[in-house]
Amino acid sequence: MKMNITCMALTTALLSSTIAHATIVEFQTTQGTFKVNLFDETTPKTVENFLSYVNSEGYQNSVIHRVETDFVVQGGGFYYNGKIPLNAITTNSPVANEPELSNVRGTIAMAKLSGQQNSATNQWFFNLSDNSANLDVQNGGFSVFGQVIDSGMEVVDKISKIPLCGSTPLVDFTAAQCADEGTEPAGNNFITINAITVIDDDPASAQMLTPVLNTLIDNVIAPEPEPETAPSKPASSGGSLFASLMLLAGVLIFRKY
């Protein structure tokens, strides 16, 4: 009897380790809530990596630190702890690149370090436009691992339209305040992700979706030029405060052509 119970427990553990742990997560932000369907069957390593931060509450109270108009909304890397510069979220080991799907509008992909295609850790970004011609091939291709569902892009678009201090969206914070060395934003000025939670752990929930495959990566003959570590276009506003906000290693890891 005891042996049977042990065998059953071992079998359950083995089965549990092979089942996808989540497919739909909910982003709860200070600008609204939206859902993202993860492609755990197509990009299993990337999803597992993302969920490791979700399950450990690593993204709780983090901020959206970068917006590039009509390009990306980026987060997952930093949190505000009452002072500037922002604090970096502790990272785990990098995950292997999985450039299987295309960086079209509404998808979420992993950010990574310049010139290091297998360097993704905790930072991610939402594609505001069809960025496939650029990001499907740049730096080995950026790993798309989910897409915003239902009307969720309304919230993401809302975030993308908030006034910027450099590339950082800040609520109720003027361009004059951004340029003022003596003025710093408070916690309520940042776009905060209160939590990311799993709301559906059915591995098959992505089967109704039709993600676009990354077919461009197969046609890359020579390596792409190494992405810059700063945006190629001028910041929309800034000054000393923006410089302080961005005293962060590896914040900007791809460029908009």
Side-chain angles (χ1 to χ4, degrees), residues 20-256:
H21 295 294
T23 316
I24 299 178
V25 294
E26 184 176 72
F27 282 66
Q28 300 161 11
T29 83
T30 51
Q31 293 297 309
T33 298
F34 59 94
K35 299 173 186 176
V36 175
N37 208 140
L38 306 178
F39 299 123
D40 44 321
E41 295 182 351
T42 307
T43 54
K45 294 178 182 177
T46 308
V47 170
E48 181 181 9
N49 172 73
F50 176 77
L51 289 176
S52 70
Y53 292 98
V54 170
N55 294 329
S56 67
E57 299 184 345
Y59 294 133
Q60 189 167 315
N61 297 319
S62 61
V63 303
I64 298 296
H65 67 267
R66 182 191 184 197
V67 168
E68 297 291 346
T69 304
D70 297 326
F71 185 38
V72 298
V73 168
Q74 187 171 339
F78 306 95
Y79 64 95
Y80 176 73
N81 194 28
K83 59 184 180 181
I84 301 299
L86 299 172
N87 293 83
I89 295 172
T90 302
T91 61
N92 301 326
S93 299
V95 61
N97 202 35
E98 294 179 308
E100 303 293 331
L101 302 174
S102 187
N103 284 267
V104 295
R105 172 174 162 80
T107 56
I108 183 173
M110 293 304 297
K112 51 189 175 178
L113 297 175
S114 172
Q116 300 180 41
Q117 62 178 324
N118 295 310
S119 62
T121 53
N122 57 335
Q123 290 193 42
W124 38 259
F125 60 90
F126 291 101
N127 285 293
L128 295 173
S129 303
D130 182 351
N131 298 318
S132 57
N134 177 3
L135 300 185
D136 281 8
V137 295
Q138 187 185 142
N139 198 6
F142 286 85
S143 298
V144 167
F145 63 97
Q147 75 177 51
V148 180
I149 58 175
D150 302 329
S151 58
M153 281 305 291
E154 293 179 4
V155 178
V156 179
D157 287 336
K158 178 183 177 183
I159 293 172
S160 75
K161 292 177 172 60
I162 290 172
L164 303 176
C165 182
S167 292
T168 303
L170 293 174
V171 177
D172 298 326
F173 203 79
T174 66
Q177 289 175 302
C178 180
D180 185 355
E181 294 184 20
T183 304
E184 289 190 356
N188 62 320
N189 296 124
F190 289 97
I191 313 302
T192 301
I193 297 170
N194 299 320
I196 302 176
T197 59
V198 175
I199 63 172
D200 188 344
D201 61 359
D202 179 4
S205 68
Q207 291 184 357
M208 300 301 292
L209 303 177
T210 55
V212 180
L213 295 178
N214 179 358
T215 58
L216 299 178
I217 192 70
D218 297 329
N219 299 323
V220 175
I221 300 175
E224 291 292 305
E226 183 173 311
E228 300 169 353
T229 55
S232 56
K233 62 180 182 179
S236 57
S237 61
S240 297
L241 173 58
F242 176 62
S244 297
L245 283 169
M246 293 294 99
L247 285 177
L248 308 163
V251 173
L252 307 172
I253 38 53
F254 53 79
R255 66 183 173 193
K256 179 180 181 180

